[in-house]
Amino acid sequence: MITIIIAEDHQMLIDGVTSFFEYDEDINIIGTVNNGEELVKLTLLKQPKLVITDIRMPIMDGIQATRKIKEKYPHIKILAMTMFDQPEAIKQMLDAGATGYILKNSGIKMLSKAIQVVAEGETFFDPNVAFNFMNDYIEGNVNVGKTEKVVLSNREKEILQLIANGKTSKEISESLFIAKTTVDTHRKNMIRKLQLTNGNELVKYAIDKKYQF
């Protein structure tokens, strides 16, 4: 049985992951928290086999929390689940002690695979992160997940860029001379394609990915 604690400041994502693994005989989520400080406290109390943590969180980020956990209990495995694909973020998580790194939009199946691999003491990485950087930085075998490339239409990319710039659906509709309902439909389609949970996740995705079209 793989016991897990999840740290994520978006409760809907926690709820979705928890619901998916509710009846899994091999995975048991024994706690969830919304910030790094609570993650450290709960991890030291319950000592799970694996921790899944975001990087950007209130009070204490995932990098600091990972470092504190690994200093106290080096046998606990850490899997980062985040929107950050920048090499510096990956390096900092690896330096802190993480042995897995996946993006939130990679889907629940890849998360399930990552959990199994990292819990067994191996290294797992999302194929969409900076793989050349990983080859230079990590010694030994690296498990890399498989995923289909997400294809957004030109209009979706255009709208995503405006979302990243802080525009509302009404402002986007006025800027592109289309109906607000059309913008809302594009938002829903992008959330589905990117396997996100809600509009807030789409905004965070647009900002964190720093789309340049």
Side-chain angles (χ1 to χ4, degrees):
M1 176 68 70
I2 303 173
T3 53
I4 298 174
I5 289 176
I6 302 175
E8 164 62 49
D9 60 343
H10 287 77
Q11 187 61 42
M12 287 187 66
L13 180 57
I14 287 180
D15 293 343
V17 173
T18 302
S19 176
F20 182 84
F21 291 113
E22 184 176 1
Y23 301 107
D24 194 305
E25 296 181 354
D26 299 320
I27 294 174
N28 182 21
I29 298 176
I30 60 174
T32 63
V33 295
N34 301 118
N35 64 72
E37 184 175 85
E38 291 301 317
L39 171 61
V40 173
K41 291 179 181 178
L42 190 60
T43 299
L44 299 186
L45 176 65
K46 294 194 172 184
Q47 297 184 41
K49 185 167 187 176
L50 184 145
V51 166
I52 300 173
T53 181
D54 194 358
I55 291 181
R56 178 190 288 170
M57 292 187 293
I59 305 177
M60 179 188 297
D61 64 34
I63 296 170
Q64 293 174 297
T66 295
R67 187 175 296 113
K68 289 180 178 295
I69 291 168
K70 296 296 285 188
E71 285 175 354
K72 186 69 175 179
Y73 295 109
H75 64 280
I76 294 178
K77 308 302 181 184
I78 308 290
L79 169 63
M81 183 173 67
T82 180
M83 297 303 298
F84 290 103
D85 61 355
Q86 295 90 343
E88 184 58 31
I90 301 169
K91 182 177 184 302
Q92 288 183 39
M93 279 302 292
L94 295 176
D95 287 340
T99 52
Y101 199 105
I102 67 172
L103 302 180
K104 289 182 181 178
N105 64 315
S106 296
I108 199 72
K109 290 183 179 179
M110 186 177 296
L111 173 60
S112 182
K113 177 65 174 178
I115 289 172
Q116 299 289 341
V117 170
V118 173
E120 290 296 320
E122 299 181 31
T123 303
F124 185 95
F125 280 89
D126 190 300
N128 291 312
V129 299
F131 190 64
N132 290 334
F133 165 80
M134 294 191 309
N135 283 336
D136 293 337
Y137 191 76
I138 301 173
E139 296 180 357
N141 294 327
V142 178
N143 291 276
V144 179
K146 296 179 180 180
T147 187
E148 296 182 0
K149 181 178 177 60
V150 175
V151 179
L152 299 180
S153 68
N154 289 333
R155 178 63 88 184
E156 288 171 339
K157 292 176 182 178
E158 191 174 19
I159 291 173
L160 194 62
Q161 180 64 69
L162 292 170
I163 291 173
N165 292 337
K167 300 295 184 182
T168 65
S169 289
K170 184 175 185 298
E171 291 171 333
I172 293 172
S173 69
E174 293 172 350
S175 175
L176 299 179
F177 302 102
I178 57 178
K180 179 180 176 296
T181 54
T182 301
V183 177
D184 291 336
T185 298
H186 281 303
R187 281 180 178 266
K188 291 178 182 177
N189 288 338
M190 285 189 286
I191 289 171
R192 175 182 54 79
K193 285 183 178 181
L194 297 169
Q195 299 184 46
L196 303 175
T197 56
N198 53 42
N200 290 333
E201 282 293 317
L202 181 63
V203 173
K204 187 175 180 182
Y205 179 88
I207 294 172
D208 288 347
K209 294 292 286 185
K210 295 181 174 61
Y211 266 77
Q212 300 294 326
F213 300 117

